[in-house]
Coordinates of all heavy atoms in Angstrom, one line a residue:
A22 N 107.4 78.7 -22.8 CA 107.5 77.4 -22.1 C 108.5 76.5 -23.0 O 108.5 76.6 -24.2 CB 106.1 76.7 -22.2
N23 N 109.2 75.7 -22.3 CA 110.2 74.8 -23.0 C 109.6 73.4 -23.1 O 108.9 73.0 -22.3 CB 111.4 74.7 -22.1 CG 112.3 76.1 -22.1 OD1 112.2 76.9 -23.1 ND2 112.8 76.4 -21.0
F24 N 110.0 72.8 -24.2 CA 109.5 71.4 -24.5 C 110.2 70.4 -23.6 O 111.5 70.5 -23.6 CB 109.7 71.1 -25.9 CG 109.4 69.7 -26.3 CD1 108.0 69.2 -26.3 CD2 110.3 68.8 -26.6 CE1 107.8 67.8 -26.6 CE2 110.1 67.4 -26.8 CZ 108.8 67.0 -26.9
R25 N 109.5 69.5 -23.1 CA 110.2 68.4 -22.3 C 109.5 67.1 -23.0 O 108.3 67.0 -23.2 CB 109.7 68.4 -20.8 CG 110.4 69.5 -20.1 CD 110.2 69.5 -18.6 NE 109.5 68.3 -18.1 CZ 108.6 68.5 -17.1 NH1 108.3 69.7 -16.6 NH2 108.0 67.4 -16.7
P26 N 110.4 66.1 -23.3 CA 109.9 64.9 -24.1 C 108.8 64.2 -23.3 O 107.8 63.6 -24.0 CB 111.2 63.9 -24.0 CG 112.3 64.9 -24.0 CD 111.8 66.2 -23.1
D27 N 108.7 64.2 -22.0 CA 107.6 63.6 -21.3 C 106.2 64.4 -21.3 O 105.2 64.0 -20.8 CB 108.0 63.3 -19.8 CG 108.2 64.6 -19.0 OD1 108.9 65.5 -19.6 OD2 107.9 64.7 -17.8
K28 N 106.2 65.5 -22.0 CA 105.1 66.4 -22.2 C 104.7 66.4 -23.5 O 104.0 67.4 -24.0 CB 105.3 67.7 -21.6 CG 105.6 67.8 -19.9 CD 104.4 67.4 -19.3 CE 104.6 67.6 -17.9 NZ 103.6 67.0 -17.0
A29 N 105.1 65.5 -24.4 CA 104.8 65.6 -25.9 C 103.3 65.7 -26.1 O 102.8 66.4 -27.0 CB 105.4 64.5 -26.5
I30 N 102.6 64.8 -25.5 CA 101.1 64.8 -25.6 C 100.4 66.1 -25.2 O 99.6 66.7 -26.0 CB 100.3 63.7 -24.8 CG1 100.8 62.4 -25.3 CG2 98.8 63.8 -24.8 CD1 100.4 61.1 -24.5
D31 N 100.9 66.8 -24.1 CA 100.4 68.1 -23.8 C 100.7 69.1 -24.9 O 99.8 69.9 -25.3 CB 100.9 68.6 -22.5 CG 100.6 67.6 -21.3 OD1 99.5 67.0 -21.5 OD2 101.3 67.5 -20.3
W32 N 101.9 69.0 -25.4 CA 102.2 70.0 -26.5 C 101.4 69.8 -27.8 O 101.0 70.8 -28.4 CB 103.7 69.9 -26.8 CG 104.6 70.8 -25.8 CD1 105.1 70.3 -24.6 CD2 105.1 72.1 -26.1 NE1 105.8 71.3 -24.1 CE2 105.8 72.4 -25.0 CE3 104.9 72.9 -27.2 CZ2 106.4 73.7 -24.9 CZ3 105.5 74.1 -27.1 CH2 106.3 74.5 -26.0
Y33 N 101.1 68.5 -28.1 CA 100.4 68.3 -29.3 C 98.9 68.7 -29.1 O 98.3 69.1 -30.0 CB 100.5 66.9 -29.8 CG 99.7 66.6 -31.0 CD1 100.2 67.1 -32.2 CD2 98.6 65.9 -31.0 CE1 99.4 66.9 -33.4 CE2 97.9 65.6 -32.2 CZ 98.3 66.1 -33.4 OH 97.6 66.0 -34.5
S34 N 98.4 68.4 -27.9 CA 96.9 68.6 -27.7 C 96.6 70.1 -27.6 O 95.3 70.4 -27.7 CB 96.5 67.8 -26.4 OG 97.1 68.3 -25.3
R35 N 97.5 71.0 -27.4 CA 97.2 72.4 -27.3 C 97.2 72.8 -28.8 O 98.1 72.8 -29.6 CB 98.4 73.2 -26.7 CG 98.3 73.0 -25.2 CD 99.2 73.9 -24.5 NE 100.4 73.2 -24.3 CZ 101.6 73.9 -24.0 NH1 101.7 75.1 -23.8 NH2 102.7 73.2 -23.8
Q36 N 96.0 73.3 -29.3 CA 95.8 73.7 -30.7 C 96.5 74.9 -31.2 O 96.6 75.1 -32.4 CB 94.3 73.7 -31.0 CG 93.6 72.4 -30.7 CD 92.2 72.4 -31.2 OE1 91.8 73.4 -31.8 NE2 91.5 71.4 -30.9
N37 N 96.9 75.8 -30.4 CA 97.5 77.0 -30.8 C 99.1 77.0 -30.8 O 99.6 78.0 -30.9 CB 97.0 78.2 -30.0 CG 95.5 78.4 -30.4 OD1 94.9 78.2 -31.4 ND2 94.8 78.9 -29.3
T38 N 99.6 75.8 -30.7 CA 101.1 75.7 -30.8 C 101.6 75.5 -32.2 O 100.9 75.0 -33.1 CB 101.5 74.6 -29.8 OG1 101.1 73.4 -30.2 CG2 101.1 74.9 -28.4
F39 N 102.8 75.9 -32.3 CA 103.5 75.7 -33.7 C 103.5 74.2 -33.9 O 103.3 73.9 -35.2 CB 104.9 76.4 -33.5 CG 105.8 76.0 -34.7 CD1 105.7 76.7 -35.9 CD2 106.8 75.0 -34.6 CE1 106.4 76.3 -37.0 CE2 107.5 74.6 -35.6 CZ 107.3 75.3 -36.8
I40 N 103.8 73.5 -33.0 CA 104.0 72.0 -33.2 C 102.7 71.4 -33.7 O 102.8 70.5 -34.6 CB 104.6 71.3 -32.0 CG1 105.4 70.0 -32.4 CG2 103.7 71.0 -30.9 CD1 106.7 70.2 -33.0
Y41 N 101.7 71.8 -33.1 CA 100.3 71.2 -33.5 C 100.0 71.6 -34.9 O 99.7 70.8 -35.7 CB 99.3 71.7 -32.6 CG 97.8 71.4 -33.1 CD1 97.3 70.2 -32.9 CD2 97.0 72.4 -33.7 CE1 96.0 69.9 -33.3 CE2 95.9 72.2 -34.2 CZ 95.4 70.9 -34.0 OH 94.1 70.6 -34.5
K42 N 100.2 72.9 -35.2 CA 99.8 73.3 -36.6 C 100.7 72.7 -37.6 O 100.2 72.2 -38.7 CB 100.0 74.8 -36.7 CG 99.0 75.5 -35.9 CD 99.2 77.1 -35.9 CE 98.2 77.9 -35.0 NZ 98.5 79.2 -34.9
M43 N 102.0 72.7 -37.4 CA 102.9 71.9 -38.4 C 102.7 70.5 -38.6 O 102.7 70.0 -39.7 CB 104.4 72.3 -38.0 CG 104.8 73.7 -38.1 SD 104.5 74.4 -39.8 CE 105.7 73.4 -40.7
L44 N 102.6 69.8 -37.5 CA 102.3 68.3 -37.6 C 101.0 68.0 -38.2 O 100.9 67.1 -39.1 CB 102.5 67.7 -36.2 CG 102.5 66.2 -36.2 CD1 103.6 65.6 -37.0 CD2 102.7 65.8 -34.7
T45 N 100.0 68.8 -37.9 CA 98.7 68.6 -38.5 C 98.7 68.8 -40.0 O 98.1 68.1 -40.8 CB 97.6 69.5 -37.8 OG1 97.5 69.1 -36.4 CG2 96.3 69.2 -38.4
R46 N 99.3 69.9 -40.3 CA 99.5 70.2 -41.8 C 100.3 69.2 -42.5 O 100.0 68.7 -43.6 CB 100.2 71.6 -41.9 CG 100.4 72.0 -43.3 CD 101.0 73.5 -43.4 NE 101.1 73.8 -44.9 CZ 102.3 73.7 -45.5 NH1 103.4 73.1 -45.1 NH2 102.3 74.1 -46.9
A47 N 101.3 68.7 -41.9 CA 102.3 67.7 -42.6 C 101.5 66.4 -42.8 O 101.7 65.7 -43.8 CB 103.4 67.5 -41.7
M48 N 100.6 66.0 -41.8 CA 99.9 64.8 -41.9 C 98.8 64.9 -43.0 O 98.4 63.9 -43.7 CB 99.4 64.3 -40.5 CG 100.5 63.8 -39.7 SD 99.8 63.1 -38.2 CE 99.2 64.5 -37.3
R49 N 98.2 66.1 -43.0 CA 97.1 66.4 -44.0 C 97.5 66.4 -45.4 O 97.0 65.7 -46.2 CB 96.4 67.7 -43.6 CG 95.2 68.0 -44.4 CD 94.5 69.3 -44.1 NE 95.1 69.9 -42.9 CZ 95.6 71.2 -43.0 NH1 95.4 71.9 -44.1 NH2 96.2 71.8 -42.1
I50 N 98.7 66.9 -45.7 CA 99.1 67.0 -47.0 C 100.3 66.0 -47.4 O 100.8 66.0 -48.4 CB 99.6 68.4 -47.4 CG1 100.8 68.9 -46.6 CG2 98.4 69.4 -47.3 CD1 101.5 70.2 -47.0
L51 N 100.5 65.2 -46.4 CA 101.7 64.2 -46.4 C 103.0 64.8 -47.0 O 103.6 64.3 -47.9 CB 101.2 63.0 -47.4 CG 100.0 62.3 -46.9 CD1 99.6 61.2 -47.9 CD2 100.3 61.7 -45.6
D52 N 103.4 65.7 -46.2 CA 104.7 66.5 -46.5 C 105.8 65.8 -45.8 O 106.0 66.0 -44.6 CB 104.5 67.9 -46.1 CG 105.8 68.8 -46.5 OD1 106.9 68.2 -46.6 OD2 105.5 70.0 -46.9
A53 N 106.6 65.0 -46.5 CA 107.7 64.2 -45.9 C 108.7 65.1 -45.3 O 109.4 64.7 -44.4 CB 108.3 63.3 -47.0
D54 N 109.0 66.3 -45.9 CA 110.1 67.1 -45.4 C 109.7 67.6 -44.0 O 110.6 67.6 -43.1 CB 110.2 68.3 -46.3 CG 111.4 69.2 -45.9 OD1 112.4 68.6 -45.6 OD2 111.2 70.4 -45.9
I55 N 108.5 68.1 -43.8 CA 108.0 68.5 -42.5 C 108.0 67.3 -41.5 O 108.5 67.5 -40.3 CB 106.7 69.2 -42.5 CG1 106.7 70.4 -43.3 CG2 106.1 69.5 -41.2 CD1 105.3 71.1 -43.5
L56 N 107.5 66.2 -41.9 CA 107.5 65.0 -41.0 C 108.9 64.7 -40.6 O 109.2 64.3 -39.4 CB 106.8 63.9 -41.7 CG 105.2 64.1 -41.9 CD1 104.7 62.9 -42.7 CD2 104.6 64.1 -40.5
Y57 N 109.8 64.8 -41.5 CA 111.2 64.5 -41.2 C 111.8 65.5 -40.2 O 112.5 65.1 -39.2 CB 112.1 64.4 -42.5 CG 113.6 64.1 -42.2 CD1 113.9 62.8 -42.0 CD2 114.5 65.1 -42.1 CE1 115.3 62.5 -41.8 CE2 115.9 64.8 -42.0 CZ 116.2 63.5 -41.7 OH 117.6 63.2 -41.5
R58 N 111.5 66.7 -40.4 CA 112.0 67.6 -39.4 C 111.4 67.6 -38.0 O 112.0 68.0 -37.1 CB 111.7 69.1 -40.0 CG 112.6 69.3 -41.2 CD 112.2 70.7 -41.8 NE 112.8 70.8 -43.1 CZ 113.5 72.0 -43.5 NH1 113.5 73.0 -42.7 NH2 114.0 72.0 -44.6
L59 N 110.2 67.0 -37.9 CA 109.5 66.9 -36.7 C 109.7 65.5 -36.1 O 108.9 65.1 -35.1 CB 108.0 67.2 -36.9 CG 107.7 68.6 -37.2 CD1 106.2 68.8 -37.3 CD2 108.2 69.6 -36.0
R60 N 110.6 64.7 -36.7 CA 110.8 63.3 -36.3 C 111.0 63.0 -34.8 O 110.6 62.1 -34.2 CB 111.8 62.6 -37.1 CG 113.2 63.1 -37.0 CD 114.1 62.5 -38.0 NE 115.5 62.9 -37.8 CZ 116.0 64.1 -38.2 NH1 115.2 65.0 -38.8 NH2 117.2 64.4 -38.0
Y61 N 111.9 63.9 -34.2 CA 112.1 63.8 -32.7 C 110.9 64.0 -32.0 O 110.6 63.3 -31.0 CB 113.3 64.7 -32.4 CG 114.6 64.4 -33.1 CD1 115.1 65.2 -34.0 CD2 115.2 63.1 -32.9 CE1 116.3 64.9 -34.6 CE2 116.4 62.8 -33.5 CZ 116.9 63.7 -34.4 OH 118.0 63.3 -35.0
F62 N 110.1 65.0 -32.3 CA 108.9 65.2 -31.5 C 107.9 64.0 -31.7 O 107.3 63.5 -30.8 CB 108.1 66.4 -32.0 CG 106.9 66.7 -31.3 CD1 106.7 67.1 -30.1 CD2 105.7 66.4 -31.9 CE1 105.6 67.2 -29.4 CE2 104.4 66.5 -31.4 CZ 104.3 66.9 -30.1
I63 N 107.8 63.5 -33.0 CA 107.0 62.3 -33.3 C 107.5 61.1 -32.5 O 106.5 60.5 -31.9 CB 106.9 62.1 -34.8 CG1 106.2 63.2 -35.5 CG2 106.2 60.8 -35.1 CD1 106.5 63.2 -37.0
Q64 N 108.7 61.0 -32.4 CA 109.3 59.9 -31.5 C 108.8 60.0 -30.1 O 108.5 59.0 -29.5 CB 110.7 59.7 -31.7 CG 111.2 59.2 -33.1 CD 112.7 59.3 -33.3 OE1 113.5 60.0 -32.5 NE2 113.2 58.6 -34.1
H65 N 109.0 61.2 -29.6 CA 108.6 61.4 -28.2 C 107.1 61.2 -27.9 O 106.8 60.7 -26.9 CB 109.0 62.8 -27.7 CG 110.5 63.0 -27.6 ND1 111.4 62.2 -26.9 CD2 111.3 63.8 -28.2 CE1 112.6 62.6 -27.0 NE2 112.6 63.7 -27.8
L66 N 106.4 61.7 -28.9 CA 104.9 61.6 -28.8 C 104.5 60.0 -28.9 O 103.7 59.6 -28.0 CB 104.2 62.3 -30.0 CG 102.7 62.4 -29.9 CD1 102.1 63.0 -28.8 CD2 102.2 63.1 -31.3
H67 N 105.1 59.3 -29.8 CA 104.9 57.9 -29.9 C 105.3 57.0 -28.6 O 104.5 56.3 -28.1 CB 105.7 57.4 -31.1 CG 105.5 55.9 -31.3 ND1 104.4 55.1 -31.6 CD2 106.4 54.9 -31.0 CE1 104.6 53.9 -31.5 NE2 105.8 53.6 -31.2
H68 N 106.4 57.5 -28.1 CA 106.9 56.8 -26.8 C 106.0 57.1 -25.7 O 105.7 56.2 -24.9 CB 108.3 57.3 -26.6 CG 109.0 56.6 -25.2 ND1 109.2 55.3 -25.2 CD2 109.2 57.2 -24.0 CE1 109.7 55.1 -23.9 NE2 109.6 56.2 -23.3
Q69 N 105.6 58.4 -25.6 CA 104.7 58.7 -24.5 C 103.4 58.0 -24.6 O 102.8 57.5 -23.6 CB 104.5 60.2 -24.3 CG 103.8 60.6 -23.1 CD 103.6 62.1 -22.9 OE1 104.0 62.9 -23.9 NE2 103.0 62.5 -21.9
L70 N 102.8 57.9 -25.7 CA 101.6 57.1 -26.0 C 101.8 55.7 -25.7 O 100.8 55.1 -25.2 CB 101.0 57.4 -27.4 CG 100.6 58.8 -27.7 CD1 100.3 58.9 -29.2 CD2 99.2 59.1 -26.9
E71 N 102.8 55.2 -26.1 CA 103.1 53.7 -26.0 C 103.3 53.4 -24.5 O 103.0 52.3 -24.1 CB 104.3 53.3 -26.8 CG 104.4 51.9 -27.2 CD 105.7 51.7 -28.1 OE1 106.7 52.1 -27.9 OE2 105.4 51.0 -29.1
S72 N 103.9 54.3 -23.7 CA 104.3 53.9 -22.4 C 103.2 54.2 -21.4 O 103.3 54.2 -20.2 CB 105.6 54.6 -21.9 OG 105.4 55.9 -22.0
S73 N 102.1 54.7 -21.9 CA 100.9 55.0 -21.1 C 100.5 53.9 -20.3 O 100.4 52.7 -20.9 CB 99.7 55.6 -21.9 OG 98.6 55.8 -21.1
T74 N 100.2 54.0 -19.1 CA 99.8 52.9 -18.2 C 98.3 52.6 -18.3 O 97.8 51.5 -18.0 CB 100.1 53.2 -16.7 OG1 99.3 54.3 -16.3 CG2 101.5 53.3 -16.4
D75 N 97.6 53.5 -19.0 CA 96.1 53.4 -19.2 C 95.9 52.4 -20.3 O 96.3 52.7 -21.5 CB 95.5 54.7 -19.5 CG 94.0 54.6 -19.5 OD1 93.4 53.5 -19.1 OD2 93.4 55.7 -19.8
T76 N 95.3 51.2 -20.2 CA 95.1 50.2 -21.1 C 93.7 50.5 -21.8 O 93.4 49.7 -22.8 CB 95.2 48.8 -20.6 OG1 94.2 48.7 -19.6 CG2 96.6 48.6 -20.1
K77 N 92.9 51.3 -21.4 CA 91.6 51.6 -22.0 C 91.8 52.3 -23.4 O 92.7 53.1 -23.5 CB 90.6 52.3 -21.1 CG 90.2 51.6 -19.8 CD 89.3 52.4 -19.0 CE 90.1 53.7 -18.4 NZ 89.4 54.5 -17.6
P78 N 91.0 52.0 -24.3 CA 91.0 52.7 -25.6 C 90.8 54.2 -25.3 O 90.0 54.7 -24.6 CB 89.8 52.2 -26.5 CG 89.5 50.9 -25.8 CD 89.7 51.0 -24.3
L79 N 91.5 54.9 -26.1 CA 91.4 56.4 -26.2 C 90.7 57.0 -27.4 O 91.2 56.7 -28.4 CB 92.8 57.0 -25.9 CG 93.0 58.5 -26.0 CD1 92.3 59.1 -24.7 CD2 94.3 58.9 -26.0
T80 N 89.7 57.7 -27.2 CA 89.0 58.2 -28.4 C 89.5 59.7 -28.5 O 89.3 60.4 -27.5 CB 87.4 58.1 -28.2 OG1 87.0 56.8 -28.0 CG2 86.8 58.7 -29.4
V81 N 89.8 60.0 -29.7 CA 90.3 61.3 -29.9 C 89.6 62.1 -31.0 O 89.4 61.3 -32.1 CB 91.8 61.4 -30.3 CG1 92.3 62.8 -30.6 CG2 92.7 60.9 -29.2
Y82 N 89.0 63.2 -30.8 CA 88.3 63.9 -31.8 C 89.1 65.1 -32.3 O 89.7 65.9 -31.5 CB 87.0 64.4 -31.3 CG 86.1 63.4 -30.8 CD1 85.9 62.9 -29.5 CD2 85.2 62.6 -31.7 CE1 85.2 61.9 -29.1 CE2 84.4 61.6 -31.4 CZ 84.4 61.2 -30.1 OH 83.5 60.3 -29.6
R83 N 89.3 65.3 -33.6 CA 90.0 66.3 -34.1 C 89.0 67.1 -35.1 O 88.1 66.5 -35.6 CB 91.2 65.9 -34.9 CG 92.1 65.0 -34.2 CD 92.7 65.7 -33.0 NE 93.5 66.8 -33.2 CZ 94.3 67.4 -32.3 NH1 94.2 67.0 -31.1 NH2 95.0 68.4 -32.6
K84 N 89.3 68.4 -35.3 CA 88.5 69.2 -36.2 C 89.3 69.5 -37.5 O 90.5 69.7 -37.4 CB 87.8 70.3 -35.5 CG 88.8 71.3 -35.2 CD 88.2 72.6 -34.5 CE 89.3 73.6 -34.2 NZ 88.8 74.8 -33.6
I85 N 88.5 69.7 -38.6 CA 89.2 70.3 -39.8 C 88.2 71.2 -40.5 O 87.0 70.9 -40.5 CB 89.7 69.1 -40.7 CG1 90.5 69.7 -41.8 CG2 88.5 68.2 -41.1 CD1 91.1 68.6 -42.7
R86 N 88.6 72.3 -41.0 CA 87.7 73.1 -41.8 C 87.7 72.7 -43.2 O 88.8 72.5 -43.9 CB 88.3 74.6 -41.6 CG 88.1 75.1 -40.4 CD 88.6 76.6 -40.2 NE 88.4 76.9 -38.8 CZ 88.8 78.2 -38.4 NH1 89.3 79.0 -39.2 NH2 88.6 78.5 -37.1
I87 N 86.5 72.6 -43.7 CA 86.3 72.3 -45.2 C 85.4 73.4 -45.8 O 84.6 73.9 -45.2 CB 85.9 70.9 -45.5 CG1 84.5 70.7 -44.7 CG2 86.9 69.9 -44.9 CD1 83.9 69.3 -45.1
R88 N 85.5 73.4 -47.2 CA 84.7 74.3 -47.9 C 83.2 73.8 -47.8 O 83.0 72.7 -47.7 CB 85.1 74.4 -49.3 CG 86.4 75.0 -49.6 CD 86.8 75.2 -51.0 NE 86.3 74.1 -51.9 CZ 86.9 73.0 -52.3 NH1 88.2 72.9 -51.9 NH2 86.5 72.1 -53.0
K89 N 82.3 74.8 -47.9 CA 80.8 74.4 -47.8 C 80.4 73.6 -48.9 O 79.7 72.6 -48.7 CB 80.0 75.7 -47.7 CG 80.0 76.5 -46.4 CD 79.2 77.7 -46.5 CE 79.3 78.4 -45.2 NZ 78.4 79.6 -45.2
D90 N 81.0 73.7 -50.1 CA 80.4 73.0 -51.2 C 81.0 71.5 -51.1 O 80.2 70.5 -51.4 CB 81.0 73.5 -52.6 CG 82.5 73.6 -52.7 OD1 83.1 74.0 -51.6 OD2 83.1 73.4 -53.8
L91 N 82.1 71.3 -50.6 CA 82.6 69.9 -50.2 C 81.7 69.3 -49.2 O 81.6 68.1 -49.3 CB 84.2 70.0 -49.9 CG 84.8 68.7 -49.6 CD1 84.8 67.7 -50.8 CD2 86.3 68.9 -49.2
F92 N 81.5 70.1 -48.1 CA 80.7 69.5 -47.1 C 79.3 69.0 -47.6 O 78.8 68.0 -47.2 CB 80.5 70.5 -45.9 CG 79.7 69.9 -44.8 CD1 80.2 69.0 -44.0 CD2 78.4 70.4 -44.5 CE1 79.5 68.5 -42.9 CE2 77.7 69.9 -43.5 CZ 78.3 68.9 -42.6
R93 N 78.6 69.8 -48.4 CA 77.4 69.4 -49.0 C 77.5 68.2 -49.9 O 76.8 67.3 -49.9 CB 76.8 70.7 -49.9 CG 76.3 71.7 -49.0 CD 75.6 72.7 -49.9 NE 75.6 74.0 -49.2 CZ 76.3 75.1 -49.5 NH1 77.2 75.0 -50.5 NH2 76.3 76.2 -48.8
K94 N 78.6 68.1 -50.6 CA 78.9 66.9 -51.5 C 79.1 65.7 -50.4 O 78.4 64.6 -50.8 CB 80.1 67.1 -52.2 CG 80.4 65.9 -53.2 CD 81.7 66.3 -54.0 CE 82.0 65.0 -54.8 NZ 83.2 65.2 -55.7
M95 N 79.7 65.9 -49.4 CA 80.0 64.8 -48.5 C 78.6 64.3 -47.8 O 78.3 63.1 -47.6 CB 81.0 65.1 -47.4 CG 82.4 65.3 -48.0 SD 83.5 66.1 -46.9 CE 83.5 65.1 -45.4
Q96 N 77.7 65.3 -47.6 CA 76.4 64.9 -47.0 C 75.5 64.2 -48.0 O 74.7 63.5 -47.6 CB 75.7 66.2 -46.7 CG 76.2 67.0 -45.4 CD 75.4 68.2 -45.1 OE1 75.1 69.1 -45.9 NE2 75.0 68.3 -43.8
S97 N 75.9 64.3 -49.3 CA 74.9 63.6 -50.2 C 75.2 62.1 -50.3 O 74.6 61.4 -50.9 CB 75.1 64.3 -51.6 OG 76.4 64.1 -52.0
Y98 N 76.5 61.8 -49.8 CA 76.8 60.3 -49.8 C 75.8 59.6 -48.9 O 75.6 59.9 -47.8 CB 78.3 60.0 -49.3 CG 79.3 60.7 -50.1 CD1 80.5 61.2 -49.5 CD2 79.2 61.1 -51.5 CE1 81.4 61.9 -50.2 CE2 80.2 61.7 -52.2 CZ 81.3 62.1 -51.4 OH 82.4 62.7 -52.2
Q99 N 75.1 58.6 -49.5 CA 74.1 57.8 -48.8 C 74.8 56.5 -48.1 O 75.5 55.8 -48.7 CB 73.0 57.4 -49.6 CG 72.2 58.6 -50.1 CD 70.9 58.1 -50.8 OE1 70.7 57.0 -51.0 NE2 70.2 59.1 -51.4
E100 N 74.6 56.4 -46.8 CA 75.0 55.3 -46.0 C 76.6 55.2 -46.1 O 77.1 54.1 -46.2 CB 74.5 53.9 -46.5 CG 72.9 54.0 -46.3 CD 72.4 52.6 -46.7 OE1 73.0 51.6 -46.6 OE2 71.2 52.6 -47.1
A101 N 77.2 56.2 -46.1 CA 78.7 56.3 -46.1 C 79.2 56.8 -44.9 O 78.5 57.5 -44.1 CB 79.2 57.2 -47.3
L102 N 80.4 56.4 -44.4 CA 81.0 56.9 -43.2 C 81.6 58.2 -43.4 O 82.4 58.4 -44.3 CB 82.1 55.9 -42.7 CG 82.8 56.3 -41.6 CD1 82.0 56.3 -40.4 CD2 84.0 55.3 -41.3
L103 N 81.3 59.2 -42.6 CA 81.9 60.4 -42.6 C 82.7 60.5 -41.4 O 82.3 60.6 -40.2 CB 80.9 61.5 -42.6 CG 81.4 63.0 -42.6 CD1 82.2 63.3 -43.8 CD2 80.2 64.0 -42.5
S104 N 84.1 60.5 -41.6 CA 85.0 60.7 -40.4 C 86.0 61.8 -40.6 O 86.2 62.3 -41.7 CB 85.7 59.4 -40.2 OG 86.5 59.1 -41.3

């Protein structure tokens, strides 16, 4: 499949695509080099989100894998926000 700028959200929301994996990794570790290389995709994604005619808030859920010991540590935080 070929990328079209008006389908940036569709490309990002598919979890098994190269673009999803690279952008998620770059944001997680704050890799400026990868973000720079993906800048055109990020611009298209931003433009598509911005031009959306839907004015209702959009809730997006993402997943991340973490080590069991880190998860247990996070569970021990009392009255803290886990996001």
Side-chain angles (χ1 to χ4, degrees):
N23 293 326
F24 173 74
R25 289 189 2 223
D27 62 322
K28 298 292 184 185
I30 292 174
D31 294 336
W32 275 84
Y33 181 69
S34 62
R35 286 188 267 166
Q36 293 186 11
N37 291 327
T38 60
F39 169 78
I40 201 80
Y41 168 83
K42 291 176 184 178
M43 290 303 297
L44 191 54
T45 301
R46 179 177 183 264
M48 289 187 291
R49 186 174 1 124
I50 63 173
L51 299 177
D52 188 325
D54 185 50
I55 295 173
L56 291 171
Y57 181 77
R58 291 174 189 225
L59 295 176
R60 69 190 178 278
Y61 296 113
F62 175 79
I63 295 168
Q64 287 173 342
H65 292 304
L66 182 62
H67 174 73
H68 179 68
Q69 191 178 0
L70 289 169
E71 202 173 49
S72 66
S73 174
T74 58
D75 191 6
T76 58
K77 294 183 289 184
L79 175 65
T80 302
V81 178
Y82 297 95
R83 304 303 292 189
K84 67 179 181 179
I85 187 169
R86 293 182 180 175
I87 60 172
R88 296 185 323 265
K89 287 182 182 180
D90 60 323
L91 180 57
F92 182 72
R93 285 189 204 102
K94 182 179 178 183
M95 291 166 54
Q96 284 181 315
S97 70
Y98 300 150
Q99 294 187 2
E100 297 184 31
L102 174 64
L103 177 61
S104 65

